[in-house]
Structures are given as C-alpha cells and as structure tokens.
Amino acid sequence: LFKEAKMKMIIDGYAAPVTSGNFIELVQKGFYDNMDVQRSDGFVVQTGDPKGDAVGYVAPPSKSVGAGKNGERLIPLETFLKGDKAPFYETTIEDEGRGGEATVLPFSSYGVMGWAREEYEPNSGSSQFFWLLFDSDLTPAGKNVLDGRYPVFGYVIEGADFLSDAKEGDVIVSAKVTEGLENLALPK
C-alpha cells in the first residue's frame, strides 16, 4: 500500500468535448480536492459524489446543461463512434441502433476514465467519474457493456498502478490541470 499516490492523466477534449470540458472546469474550481473515493470494487475506482443530498456538482442550470433533483448540473451522455464526424448526444449506441460499433475511445485499457451516470438515464452525469480497472474478459473492446453507454474522456499515463490499491475512503488531496487549459471553451 502507498501513503501517497500521484497520477498523470490525459483528458481528450476531441472525442468527448462536453464531458472533458465539464471535468476540467470542475478540476479548476477545486471540486475534486479533498474528495473521498466512494467506490473501489476491483472493477472501477469511482469518485465525484460530494457530501450531502446532491449526487453531483451543484450549479444553476443553463441552456446547455440540465438540473438534477438536488440542483446538480447534469450533462448529456456523449458518444463518438469511429467513422463519425462528431459525437452524438443523449442516447446510447443501442438506442441509436448501432450496438457493437467501435467508439473512438473504448474502455480497453487499465486506467481509462469514464463518466458515471444513472444506468437508465443517459443525461444524468454530473461530476462522478471512474477509472476502469481493466479486465479483458469483462470488457473486451467493442463488445463490452460500457462502450457507448458511458463516455470515455481520458486515461492515466503515469501512476495507474496506484489504482489497484485505492480503497473507499481514500482522499484525492488535489487535482490540477498542468497543461492545455487554454483549449477549454466554456458554454455561453
């Protein structure tokens, strides 16, 4: 076990611009600083659920984002399939009749970052995300239950080994954007 872990991640604003932008904005606001890991079950390590009644980041809704039952800022499900010119929003690949098609960023490696949401409500993501603890038997690329149902928006490039030792209650002391912030475009 480690007393402290440092990880470096790449966030992909091309394949998941809304999801990535939401994550980067929350990092910049310090939302994830001193936040507990809420789930660590051998399949994923998940965080982003603040203390209190809200299950995500609370903010006023706008034309581009919805409002959850406790004031959570909600963002739409975002899916970018290979061969498409842009992501599509608010539906799963099954709902689009495209089940089995490959996503631009698949759940196919250890430490890939996915955006959490309620299973049957595609537009319920707010601030919770997870790192996948990849298992090729459970998540074969193009044939797993995550691709096209949850957006992939990044992946760990340094320190992913720490994820296997993460436990519920571990604390994210801080999260920082180290480069590329000039590419963030916030909704108007």
Side-chain angles (χ1 to χ4, degrees), residues 23 30 36 38 49 73-75 83-84 135 142 148 157 160-161 164 171:
F23 176 76
D36 289 352
Q38 287 102 21
D49 184 3
R73 176 173 75 181
L74 303 179
I75 62 169
D84 287 359
D135 180 329
I157 60 168
D161 294 345
S164 63
V171 176

Side-chain angles (χ1 to χ4, degrees), residues 11 14 22 26 41 47 50 74 80 91 119 122 136 144 155 164:
I11 307 305
Y14 173 74
N22 187 62
L26 293 175
D41 58 12
T47 191
L74 303 179
F80 199 166
T91 61
E119 185 176 1
S136 61
N144 67 59
Y155 42 93
S164 63

Side-chain angles (χ1 to χ4, degrees), residues 79-86 88 98 101-106 141:
T79 306
F80 199 166
L81 297 179
K82 287 187 177 178
D84 287 359
K85 293 182 186 211
F88 61 86
R98 300 176 70 183
E101 290 189 39
T103 57
V104 170
L105 283 179

Side-chain angles (χ1 to χ4, degrees), residues 5-79:
K6 290 187 179 184
M7 296 187 301
K8 185 174 185 178
M9 293 153 271
I10 289 183
I11 307 305
D12 189 326
Y14 173 74
V18 172
T19 308
S20 297
N22 187 62
F23 176 76
I24 294 297
E25 182 188 15
L26 293 175
V27 168
Q28 285 299 102
K29 289 177 181 276
F31 179 78
Y32 298 107
D33 293 354
N34 298 307
M35 183 165 288
D36 289 352
V37 167
Q38 287 102 21
R39 177 179 171 189
S40 182
D41 58 12
F43 184 60
V44 300
V45 173
Q46 184 168 325
T47 191
D49 184 3
K51 292 180 176 24
D53 292 336
V55 293
Y57 175 70
V58 175
S62 69
K63 287 191 275 186
S64 56
V65 292
K69 63 183 176 184
N70 293 305
E72 299 91 347
R73 176 173 75 181
L74 303 179
I75 62 169
L77 174 60
E78 180 172 46
T79 306

